[in-house]
Each structure stands twice: as C-alpha cells, then as structure tokens.
Amino acid sequence: MRILLIGANGEIGKILNPALSKNHEIISAGRNSGDFKIDLSDSNSIEKLFEEVKNIDSCICVAGDCYTGDLHSLDEEKLNIGIKNKLLGQVNLVLIGQKYLNDNGSFILTSGKMGDKPVKNNISKAIVNGGINSFVLSASLELERGIRINAISPAKISDIPAEDLINAYAKGIEENINGEIIKVNY
Ligand SMILES: NC(=O)c1ccc[n+]([C@@H]2O[C@H](COP(=O)([O-])OP(=O)(O)OC[C@H]3O[C@@H](n4cnc5c(N)ncnc54)[C@H](OP(=O)(O)O)[C@@H]3O)[C@@H](O)[C@H]2O)c1
C-alpha cells in the first residue's frame, strides 16, 4: 500500500517508518522534515499536501504537539497548543483528506493513554486525546467510499516494546477494522 506517514521523524515515526517500509511504500511528511512539509495547525498546508501527494491508501498521523503541566499552570493559550496542533490538526487531516484518499483507504490517528488513564500534569493531553478518540468513534460511522478510521492510543513509548507499537499501527492499515481505539500497553 501507499502510506502517507505524518510525523515520520518523531519518536514514534522513527519506529514505524522502517518497519512499515518492509511491506508498504512510505511517503514521509513533517513540519520540518520528510519527503513533504506540512503544518497540521494550518488547513491550507494540509490541503496542499494532499494536492501534492496523490494515490494514498492510508494516512497515518503520529504528529501534534501538546502542553504538559499541572492544572494551576494551564491557561487558554497553553491548552490551545494541543487543541490546534494535535486535536484540530488530526481532525482537519481527516476532514480534508477524506476527499483525496483512495477508495477503501484508512486513517490512523494517534491519541494516547492520558485520555482515559490520566496521571497528574497531563490535563491538556487528557482533553485532546479524549477528543481524538470521540472523533474517531463518530467519524467512523460516516466516512464514505469504504474509508476506515481508527486511533492508536499508546502508553509512554519508552514503556512499550517496539513490536507492539508496530503491530497496532499495522493492524489499523491492514485489517478491516473501523472506529476502534487500539490501546497499546496500558
Ligand atoms: N512519545 C510518547 O511516549 C507518546 C505516547 C502516547 C502518545 N503520543 C503521541 O504520539 C504523537 C507522536 O509522538 P512522538 O513522541 O513521536 O512526537 P515527537 O517525537 O515530538 O515527533 C512529532 C513529529 O511530528 C511532527 N510535528 C509536530 N507538530 C507538527 C505539526 N503541527 N504539523 C506537522 N508535523 C508536526 C514533527 O515534525 P518535525 O520533526 O519535522 O518538526 C515530528 O516529526 C503525539 O501526538 C504524542 O502526543 C506519544
């Protein structure tokens, strides 16, 4: 399959890129790195990417900044970092990308354990991850042309065997699942 991997140069992206390349063609993208540049917080940039990269079967997103800090340090500006980049960025990726993805294609978004098993200092991630999961559950009911959408919700990457992480993303691409939140190593 031809897979667009957004955030290919990040911690998760660097694990997925070589592993998924064994069976698929990977087109990498990132804010400052990769085959193509994209800023998820800018819808024009998302549209431009899909105009440039054609014939995509699967779009994986492992990108999106989010503020880490306690309740007392959190304010609207800090909250908006995650909302604009990780939450709205991934939502817009689907809203725009659904027009471009091949029939029977798939989106795999990334949320995270803090959405449903938060620990202190992660309120922003909890809100954003919960929003991504809810979006995936609801959007999966309405995407057309056989397009599927799933979310991977990993625990801290340093606590996860690379194999488990790779298998979760591979499942989202290769298996006929839709509207699932795949929890990795909770
Ligand atoms: N790491 C973990 O333990 C963990 C656990 C659970 C969930 N997650 C989630 O998984 C995702 C990836 O995590 P990570 O640790 O791999 O992140 P990372 O190491 O910070 O890498 C993020 C990647 O995303 C790209 N990026 C960041 N903001 C972007 C934007 N606005 N537009 C386009 N590309 C952007 C960066 O591109 P450039 O390098 O080109 O700037 C980078 O390649 C994040 O949403 C994170 O919250 C991570």
Side-chain angles (χ1 to χ4, degrees):
M1 272 184 255
R2 219 167 111 84
I3 298 174
L4 176 60
L5 179 61
I6 300 173
N9 198 39
E11 198 181 342
I12 298 180
K14 278 183 177 155
I15 296 171
L16 296 184
N17 198 353
L20 298 178
S21 294
K22 289 177 192 157
N23 294 322
H24 303 283
E25 179 190 355
I26 306 292
I27 296 115
S28 63
R31 199 169 26 188
N32 307 297
S33 58
D35 302 327
F36 291 87
K37 302 288 175 292
I38 178 180
D39 180 0
L40 275 180
S41 65
D42 174 1
S43 341
N44 291 329
S45 169
I46 296 175
E47 188 96 46
K48 185 167 170 279
L49 179 71
F50 281 110
E51 284 290 337
E52 284 173 350
V53 186
K54 293 275 161 58
N55 189 24
I56 297 298
D57 297 304
S58 187
C59 175
I60 301 179
C61 186
V62 286
D65 293 338
C66 211
Y67 173 74
T68 305
D70 68 6
L71 180 66
H72 309 289
S73 68
L74 191 61
D75 58 22
E76 188 177 348
E77 192 183 342
K78 288 171 183 149
L79 195 53
N80 266 332
I81 298 168
I83 290 182
K84 193 81 184 121
N85 284 278
K86 186 170 171 178
L87 175 56
L88 275 183
Q90 294 195 89
V91 169
N92 275 331
L93 190 67
V94 176
L95 297 183
I96 295 168
Q98 63 177 328
K99 298 181 289 183
Y100 294 92
L101 229 59
N102 289 344
D103 287 357
N104 305 312
S106 64
F107 290 100
I108 296 109
L109 307 187
T110 303
S111 55
K113 184 179 175 181
M114 293 303 120
D116 47 358
K117 295 233 180 214
V119 297
K120 283 183 177 178
N121 300 329
N122 282 285
I123 293 168
S124 178
K125 284 183 187 154
I127 295 170
V128 164
N129 291 343
I132 293 162
N133 290 345
S134 295
F135 172 70
V136 165
L137 291 173
S138 50
S140 68
L141 305 173
E142 297 189 37
L143 282 166
E144 295 177 342
R145 298 189 292 109
I147 295 175
R148 302 177 291 105
I149 182 168
N150 295 284
I152 309 301
S153 179
K156 204 160 168 243
I157 299 310
S158 50
D159 298 339
I160 302 179
E163 198 71 1
D164 290 357
L165 192 67
I166 293 160
N167 287 342
Y169 282 88
K171 182 176 174 177
I173 303 165
E174 293 161 4
E175 292 185 17
N176 191 23
I177 56 169
N178 188 30
E180 286 200 15
I181 314 298
I182 301 174
K183 299 176 179 181
V184 191
N185 282 53
Y186 273 30

